[in-house]
Amino acid sequence: MTVRRPEGKTPDATSRETPRSSRPTPPRSSRPTARFFNPAARLLRRRGALPPAAGTTRFRRPTSRGDVGFAAGAMGLFVVAAVVGGLLWLAGRPVHASAAPLFAHWRPHVGPGTVPAVLIALLVCRYGAELSRRLPWRRLCLAAYGTAVAWITALALIDGWDRGVAGRLTTRFEYLHEVPGVTDIPAMLRGFSDRILDFQPDSWTTHVAGHPPGTLLIFVALDRIGLSGGGWAAVTCILAGALVAVAVPHTVRQLGTDEAARAVVPFLVLFPGAVWIGVSADGLFAGITATGIALLAAGVRRRSPVRLAGAGLILGLGCYLSYGLILMTPIALAVLFLGRPLPRQSDQVAAGSDQIGAGSDQVAAGPDQIGAGPGQIDARPGQIGAASDEARAGHVPSAARARAAWTGPALAAAWATAGAAIVVAAFTVAGFDWLAGYHLVVERYYQGVASHRPYTYWIWANLAIVLAVAAGPAATVILRRAAATTRPRDLHRSAGPLPTPAGPLPTPAGPLLTSAGRLLTSAGPRLTSAGPLLTIAAAAAILAADLSGYSKAEVERIWLPFTVWLPAAAALLPADRRRAWLVVQAAVALLVNHLLLTTW
């Protein structure tokens, strides 16, 4: 089209007048839209093969200012819980926690662990992130585990060796109080449930009655091999609890990326919940279950039945350490979901001239690119299939890949269930019924102080404890970013597809598995790591435990197996802000341990 220009004006490279009729009109809606309708581009962007078009946004990214606001909100909620707890005590309606909402006593003090704890915090905050990036993975795991052991031990020693370490598990409410009375293990297992209820001459102590017999068996085993006493029991809990500093990053690395896993390490080393890992049996539970989840991730990633069965064995044992560890199920399911086989892009999009009409929206598919009308979309070789005849030749049918996406997690779950079944069968044959014990524990729970703790207070005060103290303010920020990043349509990972079978899977439930597999693989752009979904799964487990009403108070200790997974998405934090959040995490742990005398 020829455009007339006024006299005296000549076209040049820097000044051009565009005809009014050819100027693009702004979209009527506030949501940015593509300039040209391109069905191929839309399909590819929905499948994650192409980035979003310029000028479009999938979600509003969280800002650092918003992070500070959410962290401040978590701390404010904790302050409100403390004030409300004090007011209820003055009104004659105590919440039955001495330093509400924490189960501790207000007693500022220092101890032998003060200087080591401060030095460890300073060193990790200064060099932790850099070493996490530079060290080889195995050396990093060893360094992380050793530093975590030192951090937990130093925090415990702030209260002294006797009061903070050796004497923690020897009180009349703890497991070691019952160890000398266990002379016949088979008889103890057969009659364990009969001694759960309170107000009997031979009732178990509080913690033994509130858990399955697996925990008592561990301490009995230590006593039988000559490691008796509170000191050895405490060391066992510390060594096992420190495993979370390796197991959680290892899980993220298996299912996500190496970079994301390395970002998690410093936040697990300086985890504020280390105050209660050393020393409590719940720290032991956290280390054991985290190891089981890491082994499950390795088994899913490598398609190893031995690892999967071993993971089921460990996680099954966890359910016989604490009834509440059945809530590790959301995290285990997240691992199975993240480890499923993903369909190749060439199976997601079969581009050809016979599928998309001619005209301005016609697609000419080639091995390296797709040309679409006025706009052209470039793609890397191997991401997008060639012409339709090439896409159909030599590849597994999409229906078979959809079935593989479902049967992969299903088979992995079957192997893990088989491992867990061994533990269940062993305890059942020995005479302990898990379900019967659980129902008796619920009755025992309300025989004690739990019946006087108001549910309307603890249902929100528990969350304040986790977000502000037990997991630290950084966990609030990580959870916020994970929730903003993770959507049902964005649950792919970036590590690339896993191997899939070379042909259709023979099964009588083929149509059902095909539909389920397509549901699993119908996600959008892939996340940068597996961490966000693991964080969301841990939050779901915590929320379920909170709503159940069986964890009123003391959740800074009881929920340790779940809270250690909240920092799994630490890679979402801006790199230049991670050191500041590490300082906040360390400060929370040091302040709690120096201002309060915790019960564990």
Side-chain angles (χ1 to χ4, degrees):
M1 181 177 65
T2 303
V3 181
R4 293 184 178 181
R5 297 180 177 84
E7 295 182 1
K9 290 188 178 182
T10 58
D12 52 38
T14 60
S15 175
R16 296 180 184 268
E17 290 189 11
T18 306
R20 184 180 300 274
S21 60
S22 64
R23 295 177 184 174
T25 58
R28 295 182 179 181
S29 63
S30 59
R31 180 179 179 181
T33 58
R35 183 174 179 179
F36 300 101
F37 174 72
N38 191 328
R42 175 176 292 184
L43 181 61
L44 293 174
R45 288 192 179 103
R46 285 181 179 178
R47 298 299 184 186
L50 291 177
T56 64
T57 55
R58 286 200 172 272
F59 55 86
R60 180 175 294 178
R61 295 183 179 276
T63 62
S64 296
R65 181 177 298 178
D67 292 343
V68 174
F70 268 74
M75 298 301 294
L77 185 64
F78 180 82
V79 172
V80 171
V83 171
V84 172
L87 293 176
L88 288 174
W89 181 80
L90 292 175
R93 300 173 57 187
V95 296
H96 298 279
S98 301
L102 293 176
F103 196 73
H105 302 280
W106 177 262
R107 188 176 299 176
H109 63 286
V110 295
T114 297
V115 174
V118 172
L119 289 177
I120 292 169
L122 291 175
L123 291 174
V124 174
C125 291
R126 175 62 181 86
Y127 301 105
E130 181 180 356
L131 291 176
S132 295
R133 290 191 300 268
R134 294 175 54 185
L135 286 178
W137 180 252
R138 291 189 178 182
R139 287 187 184 179
L140 176 60
C141 289
L142 291 175
Y145 180 73
T147 309
V149 169
W151 172 246
I152 297 170
T153 305
L155 290 175
L157 287 175
I158 292 174
D159 298 335
W161 171 257
D162 291 331
R163 187 171 58 182
V165 180
R168 289 292 193 190
L169 300 176
T170 58
T171 66
R172 64 185 181 91
F173 304 105
E174 287 287 354
Y175 302 94
L176 296 185
H177 182 77
E178 298 284 1
V179 168
V182 180
T183 56
D184 187 343
I185 292 179
M188 181 271 289
L189 290 174
R190 288 192 301 270
F192 189 87
S193 298
D194 297 334
R195 301 175 61 183
I196 290 178
L197 294 180
D198 204 359
F199 310 116
Q200 301 180 90
D202 58 347
S203 295
W204 294 116
T205 59
T206 303
H207 282 275
V208 175
H211 295 79
T215 308
L216 180 60
L217 284 177
I218 290 178
F219 293 114
V220 169
L222 288 176
D223 181 73
R224 296 296 189 269
I225 64 175
L227 303 180
S228 59
W232 286 112
V235 170
T236 301
C237 292
I238 291 174
L239 294 178
L243 289 172
V244 300
V246 178
V248 175
H250 184 73
T251 303
V252 176
R253 188 171 187 261
Q254 288 289 324
L255 302 173
T257 63
D258 181 77
E259 180 183 359
R262 292 175 180 272
V264 176
V265 172
F267 288 91
L268 266 300
V269 170
L270 288 186
F271 186 63
V275 173
W276 295 275
I277 292 178
V279 178
S280 74
D282 296 270
L284 176 74
F285 306 159
I288 290 175
T289 52
T291 302
I293 293 293
L295 190 58
L296 180 66
V300 170
R301 176 69 176 173
R302 302 183 185 184
R303 300 294 185 264
S304 171
V306 175
R307 288 184 173 88
L308 290 170
L313 195 72
I314 294 174
L315 294 175
L317 175 62
C319 292
Y320 282 85
L321 299 177
S322 173
Y323 296 102
L325 292 181
I326 194 71
L327 291 177
M328 291 298 295
T329 301
I331 301 175
L333 291 177
V335 170
L336 295 175
F337 178 82
L338 291 164
R340 73 199 188 284
L342 301 180
R344 291 193 303 218
Q345 301 294 349
S346 57
D347 293 319
Q348 292 180 351
V349 180
S353 59
D354 57 334
Q355 293 176 321
I356 302 178
S360 60
D361 298 326
Q362 183 178 3
V363 178
D368 295 331
Q369 64 180 10
I370 296 177
Q376 190 173 10
I377 304 171
D378 294 328
R380 290 179 294 178
Q383 280 187 327
I384 304 172
S388 58
D389 56 339
E390 296 178 5
R392 287 190 294 266
H395 295 299
V396 180
S398 59
R401 288 189 180 277
R403 287 197 297 270
W406 176 256
T407 55
L411 291 176
W415 280 108
T417 302
I422 296 174
V423 180
V424 175
F427 275 95
T428 303
V429 170
F432 175 73
D433 186 343
W434 191 91
L435 284 176
Y438 170 76
H439 291 298
L440 289 171
V441 164
V442 172
E443 187 176 349
R444 170 70 182 259
Y445 183 71
Y446 287 103
Q447 285 181 326
V449 70
S451 59
H452 304 290
R453 286 173 172 166
Y455 179 81
T456 53
Y457 171 81
W458 287 109
I459 192 173
W460 60 271
N462 285 342
L463 300 179
I465 294 171
V466 171
L467 296 177
V469 178
T476 304
V477 176
I478 294 170
L479 180 59
R480 175 208 180 210
R481 287 181 171 266
T485 304
T486 307
R487 299 184 302 168
R489 61 183 299 177
D490 295 338
L491 294 180
H492 273 308
R493 57 181 177 80
S494 63
L498 298 179
T500 53
L505 298 176
T507 172
L512 177 61
L513 294 179
T514 299
S515 301
R518 284 173 178 165
L519 177 64
L520 288 175
T521 58
S522 62
R526 297 178 180 181
L527 296 174
T528 57
S529 73
L533 188 57
L534 292 172
T535 297
I536 295 297
I542 290 172
L543 186 60
D546 190 36
L547 294 176
S548 71
Y550 296 141
S551 300
K552 292 184 291 186
E554 305 177 52
V555 297
E556 62 271 20
R557 167 186 60 84
I558 298 172
W559 290 351
L560 279 174
F562 315 129
T563 56
V564 296
W565 291 94
L566 292 178
L572 296 178
L573 294 174
D576 58 340
R577 303 282 180 147
R578 291 174 190 169
R579 180 177 295 173
W581 287 116
L582 275 177
V583 172
V584 172
Q585 295 288 88
V588 168
L590 292 172
L591 285 174
V592 168
N593 226 145
H594 283 91
L595 295 178
L596 300 172
L597 183 62
T598 58
T599 307
W600 291 277

